Amino acid sequence: MKTLNFDSDNLGGVIRLFAIPAVSFLRIREDYVSGLKYPELRKRELIIDIPVYADDSFSIDEEHKLTNQGDTYDTAITGIIPKMCRVNATTLEILERGEWMVLTQDSNGEVRLTGSPEHLLKFTCKKSTGKTKAARNGIEFSFAATLPQTSVYVEVPDFSTI
């Protein structure tokens, strides 16, 4: 019999996010002894690191659906980039015009790779200055797609090497 694990040490949110173009993805290497999977990447200069700030603004949602094509997952990875500014304008345009795989680490330390070279996510955003000085000036964004599989749990021993 299989039993789902119940862990009471459970935190919400995402703490790291990287947008990876298909050209930067080499493969997922699986260690068949341990069962662990490792993403192998290249052309790291094309990968975009989106900093996550210490709040509740980043999340991953995957909704399983049964369609005529079989099992699918409506997937959305959302967040807020604080402060619209000219420094980020070019990178935001690259995100808007591209298609992406997304590597995330959640607050529980779990790392997931969402998408594949054949099934990429699209970046969309809404930019707003807010209506008052106290309002949030920022960019609400989403990486979204309907995918044939859920995110894959992977191991990343050192995020500085991505």
Side-chain angles (χ1 to χ4, degrees), residues 20-28 41 62 75 77 99-103 112-122 144-152:
I20 303 168
V23 70
S24 291
F25 180 77
L26 184 58
R27 67 182 177 134
I28 294 179
L41 306 172
E62 293 180 306
T75 303
I77 300 168
E99 293 183 312
W100 307 93
M101 298 171 67
V102 180
L103 183 73
R112 294 175 187 83
L113 182 64
T114 305
S116 68
E118 299 82 23
H119 301 98
L120 299 166
L121 290 87
K122 186 67 181 154
T146 299
L147 303 172
Q149 69 180 39
T150 189
S151 299
V152 177

Side-chain angles (χ1 to χ4, degrees), residues 9 20 28 36-37 39 47 53 59-60 87 106 108 116 118 123 129 132 144 155-156:
D9 294 328
I20 303 168
I28 294 179
L36 300 176
K37 298 176 181 179
I47 297 171
Y53 295 93
S59 68
I60 302 170
V87 173
D106 70 20
N108 295 311
S116 68
E118 299 82 23
F123 177 91
T129 61
T132 66
E155 301 296 314
V156 177

